Amino acid sequence: MDEGSTSKTRGKGKRYNLMSDAARRKLPARPEPYWHRVRPGKQLGYRAGADTWIAKVVLAGERRYEGLGQRGTFEEALKAAEAFFTHVEAGGSSERLTVAEVMQRYAAAIRGGTAGRNKGRLSDVQRGEKAREVERFITSWLGDLAGREIARLKHIEVMRWREDLSRDPSDPSRSRNPSSINRMMTTLRAALNWARENQLVSSDAAWVSALKSIESAGSRRERYVTPDERRMLLEFMRDDFKPYLRLLCLLPLRPGDPEDMLVQHYDARTHTLTVPSGKTASRRIPLSPDAEAVVREACKDKLPGAFMFMQRNGHRWRKEARRDVVQEARKEANEAAKQARKAGSKGAAGLGEDVVLYAIRGSVITDMITGGADPLTVARLSGTSLPMIQKHYGHLLDTRAREALSLVRL
């Protein structure tokens, strides 16, 4: 407060004390707030009956208001009002945007190339896909937060959303995979942080700790998809996805990498394949004979600008489509294994729900390391960092080191 301001405010010829909780409770309810002058042009208002606060600032002759909700004490309300005053003076917006509206603007900014991770390196197609992911998040995962005004968002509301997110929808008694939780929190956190950076909201207090990533989610991946399981998945896979899956089984690619590959990314002279930029920058991979056979067949009779891999309906292989055909193949494989066991075949096993495309990537990397490839080469080919390889696959490197040391004799 400025020097000389008092703990009382004037209204209809009377003076009212807003600093005292007891005094505020005695105020008669009325539509007009009781105002407290903070500084010239800045006031803090209190609505008796509703027990809510409001901030008012006059800037360049324009009055701007911000509802602060219930704040408990005068000090808490004043702190929130000061944040609003600072926000407005810095050129911040006073629009009453919901979280869903903020995310829609964030998606539009991604399309326009002004927001999002790797924003300067993505193609129009990639930006469009990233924006659609945010839009799908709004309808599929945002839930009750969608209609909440971002300026009035509370920490407890975001925490409640996170707790609901942690429960597996197919079995509420089970917890969702921490990595999945982190991915969804990352989407929301990125949109809210973008809103803060663009002065659409004055504070990130509601989400800065509530959306903090789960550290244990980055622990070593344990699931190894065996070569037999990979062959079984291929056997029951739909024909139009088999080439895509076969390439994932032969190269350390992320599941979405082949989606963006064009015919021109294959260089038959050098026997290499360029992986377009996505999560990381583009990289060039030397092809094994088996992998090159898949790529050569995928490029056959196509123009340089055509996509290598397409669905039979002419659409590209988006994440949802890939997930669906993998689920379908697992289901058919399990049914075949069940029938084989009934017929007396021993050892006929199906495919668990953890046989997914990303697990295949980890399994290929595991095969490379156990086969003797050095970690730096593995990191370069897989499009990740050496520290990440050491973090997730260091146990395999330790095993190789012990084997090498066991050869040393006196």
Side-chain angles (χ1 to χ4, degrees):
M1 292 180 288
D2 61 321
E3 187 177 344
S5 66
T6 70
S7 61
K8 297 185 179 182
T9 186
R10 186 173 298 277
K12 296 185 178 180
K14 296 183 179 180
R15 294 169 66 84
Y16 303 96
N17 185 353
L18 299 187
M19 287 184 167
S20 167
D21 293 347
R24 286 199 309 275
R25 284 194 291 269
K26 295 178 182 178
L27 293 174
R30 71 182 194 187
E32 172 67 18
Y34 295 90
W35 292 103
H36 174 93
R37 180 176 178 271
V38 180
R39 288 187 298 281
K42 299 178 178 64
Q43 291 181 291
L44 174 62
Y46 174 75
R47 284 194 170 93
D51 193 27
T52 58
W53 298 85
I54 183 171
K56 177 172 72 173
V57 60
V58 179
L59 193 65
E62 178 188 0
R63 294 182 181 181
R64 295 171 68 171
Y65 298 85
E66 177 74 358
L68 306 177
Q70 294 182 338
R71 290 287 170 169
T73 67
F74 175 84
E75 288 74 19
E76 291 173 351
L78 181 60
K79 183 178 179 180
E82 291 285 12
F84 171 66
F85 298 151
T86 302
H87 175 67
V88 170
E89 288 173 335
S93 171
S94 59
E95 290 184 89
R96 295 185 177 277
L97 297 173
T98 65
V99 176
E101 289 170 338
V102 165
M103 295 199 71
Q104 287 164 354
R105 292 194 182 188
Y106 176 59
I110 291 176
R111 280 197 175 90
T114 61
R117 188 176 181 180
N118 296 325
K119 58 187 177 184
R121 298 186 300 183
L122 299 181
S123 66
D124 290 345
V125 172
Q126 290 170 324
R127 287 198 299 270
E129 176 58 25
K130 295 291 184 183
R132 283 190 290 273
E133 287 180 5
V134 174
E135 291 164 346
R136 286 192 292 267
F137 180 91
I138 297 171
T139 57
S140 301
W141 300 109
L142 197 51
D144 293 339
L145 291 185
R148 291 290 296 144
E149 285 187 23
I150 187 172
R152 298 185 179 186
L153 197 59
K154 297 179 180 178
H155 173 82
I156 191 172
E157 294 172 327
V158 183
M159 284 300 300
R160 192 178 298 123
W161 175 84
R162 175 174 176 159
E163 290 167 4
D164 291 341
L165 191 68
S166 67
R167 287 188 283 271
D168 189 330
S170 61
D171 184 359
S173 65
R174 296 176 54 190
S175 296
R176 192 188 298 274
N177 184 289
S179 295
S180 298
I181 297 173
N182 275 353
R183 283 193 294 273
M184 285 181 274
M185 288 197 301
T186 296
T187 301
L188 178 58
R189 185 172 61 244
L192 297 179
N193 286 343
W194 173 84
R196 173 75 190 281
E197 292 167 3
N198 286 271
Q199 299 291 317
L200 298 178
V201 64
S202 61
S203 172
D204 60 1
W207 69 83
V208 66
S209 60
L211 297 180
K212 190 175 182 180
S213 296
I214 303 170
E215 293 184 5
S216 60
S219 60
R220 173 161 52 96
R221 296 171 175 84
E222 299 289 349
R223 182 58 165 101
Y224 175 75
V225 183
T226 67
D228 284 343
E229 288 176 319
R230 290 173 236 172
R231 283 190 286 268
M232 177 177 283
L233 189 63
L234 273 166
E235 179 184 351
F236 291 93
M237 183 53 64
R238 212 172 78 181
D239 287 343
D240 54 340
F241 191 65
K242 275 186 178 180
Y244 194 119
L245 176 59
R246 191 177 296 278
L247 195 64
L248 292 180
C249 290
L250 294 170
L251 298 176
L253 301 173
R254 291 182 176 82
D257 284 341
E259 174 187 319
D260 297 320
M261 290 179 182
L262 306 177
V263 172
Q264 64 193 27
H265 290 139
Y266 167 53
D267 190 335
R269 297 170 300 172
T270 60
H271 309 286
T272 57
L273 177 67
T274 298
V275 181
S277 61
K279 185 175 181 180
T280 59
S282 64
R283 63 191 189 278
R284 191 171 62 174
I285 297 180
L287 295 171
S288 66
D290 287 346
E292 186 166 19
V294 174
V295 172
R296 189 184 299 113
E297 182 63 26
C299 295
K300 187 177 180 180
D301 299 328
K302 293 180 181 177
L303 296 174
F307 288 105
M308 285 188 193
F309 303 99
M310 299 287 286
Q311 297 185 56
R312 59 193 179 194
N313 59 9
H315 295 160
R316 292 172 61 193
W317 281 108
R318 302 298 189 187
K319 182 189 299 183
E320 292 77 11
R322 297 194 299 267
R323 179 197 60 207
D324 291 346
V325 294
V326 169
Q327 289 177 346
E328 181 183 338
R330 282 201 310 258
K331 183 178 180 180
E332 292 185 13
N334 292 339
E335 182 61 30
K338 181 179 178 181
Q339 296 300 325
R341 288 193 296 272
K342 284 183 178 181
S345 175
K346 293 183 179 181
L351 298 174
E353 292 185 2
D354 52 0
V355 176
V356 295
L357 298 183
Y358 211 94
I360 290 176
R361 165 183 159 83
S363 304
V364 171
I365 293 175
T366 296
D367 290 347
M368 293 175 68
I369 292 174
T370 55
D374 69 275
L376 184 59
T377 298
V378 175
R380 181 175 62 82
L381 295 179
S382 59
T384 191
S385 66
L386 183 57
M388 290 298 289
I389 291 295
Q390 292 170 331
K391 179 178 180 180
H392 294 302
Y393 304 96
H395 61 298
L396 301 175
L397 298 172
D398 291 343
T399 299
R400 282 182 51 208
R402 282 192 294 271
E403 292 172 350
L405 289 172
S406 68
L407 302 176
V408 178
R409 293 287 189 273
L410 284 175

